Amino acid sequence: MNFINRYLYLTIGLTLLFSNCRPATKVVAEKPKKPLNIILLIGDGMGLAQISAASVMNGGLFLELFSIIGLVKTSSADDYITDSAAGATAYSTGEKTYNGAIGLGVDSMPRITILEMAEKNGLSTGLISTCSVTHATPGSFFGHQKNREMHKEIAADFYGKGIDFMAGTGKPYFDVDKLKNQYNYNILTGKGPYKFDALSQHIWFYNDSIHPPKAAERGPWLLDATNAGISYLSNNKKGFFLMVEGSQIDWGGHDNDLNYMASELVDFDKAVKAALDFAKKDGNTLVIVTADHETGGLSLNAGSIADKKIDASFASKHHSGIMVPIYAYGPGAELFQGTMENTDVFKKMKTLYGF
Ligand code: MG
Ligand code: ZN
């Protein structure tokens, strides 16, 4: 114990002693607040420049409603610059791994994910993405494969896991008959919105294709899917875990297309608002919003808030190493203040769930 700790303990001890001397004051140890539900929203490639640009271009963002904010270091085990597989695996398993790995450690052995832990503990679980659900970010929450390109193998990892709700694209990678007949999933395909009964588990494919359309064509699909997922999963009194990904913010960055990036971010921001609205009403839900990494080395060079215009340039067509913001609201949100490693996000979620 160092001097600062001794001093702290002494001060706390004296404070407790003296407060006990006053008959009117009762000292009650404050219990750490724990959520029943966690909604983790990942804006793939959503750095601070992306958020700043989209805020100007959209005249503000719901993200700005959060008051608890931190910063996340994103590097992977084998590269300062992470890819989305290692980035999502850090969030899902609490371990840094090599770029391209889906739910595996550096030894290529599977690691249990926060979603799998939630399932084992009797919670309901869900995944929503605006890309194939076998893609690196959603895939790393249920899949365990050596390479992110192994979409069919990642899809096969989904079977029998008990995941309650999934929405996205990637239907051709899945054995739909097996999901329906062997695992009793209700499979819906189309734009929706759908009403989901509380009795069966649901998979909602946006279309029959692997590829999703951009936000302008999707309309409010991500918002609808997020609202549907929350209302379905919240039937479980034991709680739920839901991951929602704004997948194509990253693709706009890779394309060095500011408008594509910003429209995907604004679309994702609406899902954030839906999660926040539920959490405010519910009181037992922690909402976490972050990114796996920044994409494109976006730099904002000039702009006009009045005209909602940004003059930006991209430094690359790849990811960058800059820290990304993390926002939190609800029970346990205060744990997400300060600067942390991406792996810490898993550890904090695990602690808060009590797994
Ligand atoms: Mg992704
Ligand atoms: Zn990317």
Side-chain angles (χ1 to χ4, degrees), residues 111-130:
R111 299 293 191 270
I112 184 164
T113 72
I114 192 78
L115 179 141
E116 290 164 337
M117 285 179 185
E119 273 298 332
K120 284 212 168 106
N121 282 276
L123 280 72
S124 289
T125 57
L127 290 165
I128 300 169
S129 63
T130 48

Side-chain angles (χ1 to χ4, degrees), residues 44 84 131 135-138 245 247 292:
D44 198 317
S84 292
C131 66
H135 211 271
T137 311
E245 186 198 22
S247 318
D292 47 358

Side-chain angles (χ1 to χ4, degrees), residues 231-266:
S231 81
Y232 172 69
L233 295 170
S234 59
N235 288 311
N236 188 341
K237 296 275 174 288
K238 283 186 172 175
F240 69 84
F241 172 78
L242 173 64
M243 195 286 297
V244 180
E245 186 198 22
S247 318
Q248 298 185 43
I249 301 165
D250 176 64
W251 302 359
H254 284 293
D255 286 355
N256 285 184
D257 183 334
L258 187 72
N259 288 320
Y260 180 15
M261 182 286 295
S263 61
E264 291 296 334
L265 200 154
V266 168

Side-chain angles (χ1 to χ4, degrees), residues 35-266:
L36 271 181
N37 317 309
I38 297 181
I39 306 173
L40 172 65
L41 298 109
I42 301 177
D44 198 317
M46 187 180 74
L48 202 48
Q50 281 78 359
I51 292 165
S52 307
S55 173
V56 171
M57 294 162 80
N58 192 53
L61 292 171
F62 295 120
L63 268 179
E64 292 159 32
L65 294 169
F66 287 80
S67 53
I68 294 177
I69 302 167
L71 291 169
V72 179
K73 297 180 181 180
T74 65
S75 65
S76 70
D78 70 339
D79 201 323
Y80 175 58
I81 307 296
T82 191
D83 82 322
S84 292
T89 298
Y91 287 146
S92 69
T93 73
E95 283 191 39
K96 287 192 188 269
T97 190
Y98 61 90
N99 284 356
I102 300 286
L104 305 179
V106 282
D107 56 1
S108 295
M109 295 302 285
R111 299 293 191 270
I112 184 164
T113 72
I114 192 78
L115 179 141
E116 290 164 337
M117 285 179 185
E119 273 298 332
K120 284 212 168 106
N121 282 276
L123 280 72
S124 289
T125 57
L127 290 165
I128 300 169
S129 63
T130 48
C131 66
S132 170
V133 286
T134 59
H135 211 271
T137 311
S140 295
F141 283 81
F142 66 89
H144 302 280
Q145 297 297 335
K146 286 181 181 155
N147 191 307
R148 58 183 289 169
E149 300 307 326
M150 298 165 73
H151 288 279
K152 281 216 155 162
E153 289 83 355
I154 294 166
D157 283 340
F158 180 87
Y159 307 135
K161 208 146 265 186
I163 299 170
D164 301 275
F165 184 90
M166 184 171 85
T169 62
K171 195 177 180 182
Y173 293 130
F174 289 86
D175 185 338
V176 172
D177 289 336
K178 194 172 178 175
L179 286 169
K180 242 191 233 172
N181 303 325
Q182 204 174 325
Y183 297 107
N184 298 316
Y185 278 99
N186 177 28
I187 315 265
L188 295 143
T189 308
K191 229 174 167 177
Y194 298 114
K195 286 213 163 179
F196 296 94
D197 70 84
L199 297 172
S200 44
Q201 300 176 322
H202 305 280
I203 297 176
W204 176 6
F205 290 113
Y206 175 88
N207 57 20
D208 283 318
S209 156
I210 288 166
H211 300 290
K214 292 180 180 179
E217 193 189 326
R218 289 197 311 268
W221 183 84
L222 182 62
L223 176 64
D224 291 344
T226 304
N227 277 324
I230 290 171
S231 81
Y232 172 69
L233 295 170
S234 59
N235 288 311
N236 188 341
K237 296 275 174 288
K238 283 186 172 175
F240 69 84
F241 172 78
L242 173 64
M243 195 286 297
V244 180
E245 186 198 22
S247 318
Q248 298 185 43
I249 301 165
D250 176 64
W251 302 359
H254 284 293
D255 286 355
N256 285 184
D257 183 334
L258 187 72
N259 288 320
Y260 180 15
M261 182 286 295
S263 61
E264 291 296 334
L265 200 154
V266 168

Side-chain angles (χ1 to χ4, degrees), residues 292-352:
D292 47 358
H293 52 74
E294 192 270 353
T295 305
L298 182 62
S299 163
L300 312 182
N301 309 317
S304 162
I305 292 164
D307 297 335
K308 298 184 174 178
K309 273 190 179 161
I310 284 289
D311 177 13
S313 54
F314 290 90
S316 81
K317 298 228 168 203
H318 307 290
H319 304 163
S320 82
I322 193 168
M323 289 190 277
V324 293
I326 184 164
Y327 303 81
Y329 174 85
E334 61 279 1
L335 292 189
F336 296 87
Q337 293 171 116
T339 304
M340 67 204 81
E341 287 290 346
N342 50 8
T343 48
D344 292 331
V345 175
F346 165 89
K347 289 167 195 163
K348 290 170 201 283
M349 289 193 294
K350 185 171 175 275
T351 302
L352 287 168

